Structure formats: C-alpha cells, structure tokens
Amino acid sequence: ISAISNGARHGVLFKGGAFLEALSGVRAIAFDKTGTLTRGEPVVVEVASACSAGDDLLALAAAVERRSEHPLARAVVAAAEARGVADRYPAAADVTANSGRGVSGQVNGRPVEIGSHAWFDETIDHLPHCDAIRAADARGQTTMLISHDGDYRGYIALADAPRDDSAAALAELRQLGLGPLVMLTGDHAATAERIAAAVGLTEVRAGLLPADKVRAVEALRAEHGAVAMIGDGINDTPALAAASVGIAMGRAAQALETADVVLLGDGLRQLPFAVRLARAAMGTVRFNVALSIAIKLIFFVLVLLGSGSMWLAVLADVGTSLLVTANGMRLLRWPRMNS
C-alpha cells in the first residue's frame, strides 16, 4: 500500500499489488514507437498528388482522418486546417480502422482508403510515386498513401521526433540491469531505426501488425521470462495484454483499460522510477518476512532455554508487527523519482 501510494503521488498508477510484484521481476521491456519513444506529434512535411492539387489531397485525407485519434491522423487534420482546406469535404462516413494497415471511409458516398506503403503494395497500383515513397521511407519519414474510388491519388509524408527524455530513461533502465530493450513498431524499418539511433536502442522490429507485436512479446517472454510492454494506443492493447506487465502511457482509453500500470506523465522518465519502486517494495517485503521469522525463532529458542516471558511474547508478536509496518511505511517517501 505504501509503494502504491508513493507511485500515485508521482503519476504512476498500479492497479494492484500483484502488478507491483510482477514489475519487480521484469527482465526485458518492449516499447511502441509513436507516442511512446517519440513525442507522438508528427507534422506533415510533404504532400504529393498524382492527379490533382496537393491541397485537395490533404483535404480528402483530413475528411477521413478527423474521425481518428491517432497522432498521424491529428497531424493530417492540423495541416489541412493550417492550409484552410479542412472543410472542403464533409467528414467521412463508415470509417473503419484496418488494424496496423490504415483507415478507410466514405466521402460523398465514394470510398477513400489511407494506408501504409506495404498495404498499397498488396492492393492498389501506385507506380507514379513508388520510388519517391521509398525515398521518403529511407529518410525516416512515415508515409500515408491515399486512394479515392479505387484509384491512387497520392501520398503524404510525416516526420516525428523522439521525446526529450527517452534517451535518458533508456540509459537509466540499462543501469538497473534491464535488457534487452526492444522497439516494436508498425512503421517502416528506416523510420524505426532513425528513432532507435536517436534514443539509444539497438534492437528494432519494424513493419509489425498488432498480431505481430503479440508474437514478438510472446517470443521475448519465452526467451527472457518476465517482459513488460509499454504503449499508448489501441494498436498496442493486444501486446499489452500478452506481456507479463502491460504499461500504458498517456490517456488512451483502450490502453488504460488493458494495462496493469499507467504512467500519467508526458514522457518515459516515470518508467525507471516505477521499476525502482517495484524492486524496493519487494525487497522490503522479503526483509520484513525474514525479520519476522528470525525474531520468532529467537523467542522460541529463549523459551526452550527457560528464559521466555509474557512480555517477550508480546514483543515477539505485536512488537514485530509494529516494526515491519514502520519499515513498510518508508516506501511512502522512498524511492523518489529522479528530477
């Protein structure tokens, strides 16, 4: 209770003591990229249309993406609003998220699909821009391809930046002896590797669908035992559920419901603190149990030697309870989160 209270004061919510205990035994951590390792605030850096003005392509994409809360969707809508074209088309109807691939909807009764390069490789010809899209991917940008009524219309390239505290948090996790630290992302490999290099990650698994993330987490559990997964969006919820400890960052409703631990702050700096707190709590539990047993054994030996008394019995029972309670209450103030 003391450790959970300490965590709550620092913006780390444990949904029960079992999850505090589970986090103390974690040996590897898997990270989502967008919104977790990065700021989750990508910006549109390029709009390339195959058959119309770029502003019209952006307006068409915004009509579908305004129904989504994904960071990439918000970036598209923000760019359309900045160019004054956000209301050119009515909001899309029948919007469907194609998990890990993209989103589709009906704009003025005609289907619009927005998705990844890999998805369009399988479904829609985009030859006019294929090389340009690969070049954007190689620069570490995230590309969104758009089709309208079954015809390819163009692509939008976006870029995100790492969170300011990601590199420091990962370095602290390594100092705590955690490893491996793995990025699991649905983005293109070049994009993932650019972010990984910036934050100091060496293990990257890119181009993953939500089901692939689950398999990656299960493989880590089979190899390393207890594994934590940290993410911030609906695409991360299956992997959060598959991990030994699911950690949600931010306030995405689906991730919050699935996660065992919630980081309410804007960044990863609370994660090393949560690990240190969990380890301190379990260390205190073990110490208290050992201390209690030792005092009982000492009293038992004194009784056998004929030196036992009622006051010693009270000391061994109630006194020990008070002692371990006071020791446990130290966790209300320690450990503290590094500034």
Side-chain angles (χ1 to χ4, degrees), residues 73-226:
R74 293 197 297 267
V76 169
V77 174
E81 289 174 347
R83 298 190 187 189
V85 297
D87 298 322
R88 180 174 296 182
Y89 293 98
D94 301 326
V95 176
T96 303
N98 302 294
S99 187
R101 294 179 178 272
V103 64
S104 59
Q106 300 281 330
V107 178
N108 289 331
R110 300 169 67 186
V112 175
E113 292 181 332
I114 303 174
S116 66
H117 194 187
W119 187 25
F120 272 58
D121 275 339
E122 298 173 2
T123 58
I124 297 174
D125 176 44
H126 52 282
L127 189 59
H129 285 153
C130 197
D131 290 341
I133 294 168
R134 287 198 184 98
D137 290 337
R139 291 193 297 271
Q141 297 172 354
T142 298
T143 52
M144 305 166 61
L145 284 66
I146 299 100
S147 73
H148 188 201
D149 209 16
D151 296 324
Y152 172 71
R153 293 287 299 274
Y155 73 90
I156 298 172
L158 305 96
D160 198 1
R163 291 184 181 274
D164 295 336
D165 59 359
S166 291
L170 292 174
E172 190 174 347
L173 290 172
R174 290 192 193 90
Q175 291 174 358
L176 292 172
L178 287 165
L181 306 178
V182 185
M183 178 195 293
L184 306 179
T185 178
D187 275 352
H188 189 273
T191 303
E193 287 167 3
R194 177 179 66 87
I195 297 298
V199 300
L201 274 179
T202 57
E203 217 172 313
V204 177
R205 302 180 190 180
L208 303 182
L209 299 175
D212 298 324
K213 290 185 179 182
V214 171
R215 285 190 285 271
V217 169
E218 291 172 345
L220 287 170
R221 290 190 67 175
E223 183 178 356
H224 300 284

Side-chain angles (χ1 to χ4, degrees), residues 6-89:
N6 186 358
R9 282 206 300 266
H10 290 93
V12 180
L13 304 183
F14 292 92
K15 294 186 178 180
F19 306 120
L20 188 78
E21 181 174 352
L23 183 60
S24 72
V26 161
R27 293 293 172 265
I29 303 182
F31 298 83
D32 174 50
K33 181 183 73 67
T34 303
T36 302
L37 292 169
T38 68
R39 295 174 183 171
E41 298 176 355
V43 294
V44 172
V45 295
E46 183 182 6
V47 179
S49 177
C51 54
S52 61
D55 284 354
D56 191 66
L57 179 69
L58 190 61
L60 187 64
V64 178
E65 295 289 15
R66 73 180 62 176
R67 299 287 192 183
S68 173
E69 291 299 319
H70 192 280
L72 295 177
R74 293 197 297 267
V76 169
V77 174
E81 289 174 347
R83 298 190 187 189
V85 297
D87 298 322
R88 180 174 296 182
Y89 293 98

Side-chain angles (χ1 to χ4, degrees), residues 295 299 302-303 307-320:
I295 291 175
F299 175 74
L302 291 174
V303 169
S307 300
S309 68
M310 180 62 70
W311 287 110
L312 280 177
V314 171
L315 181 63
D317 185 20
V318 178
T320 301

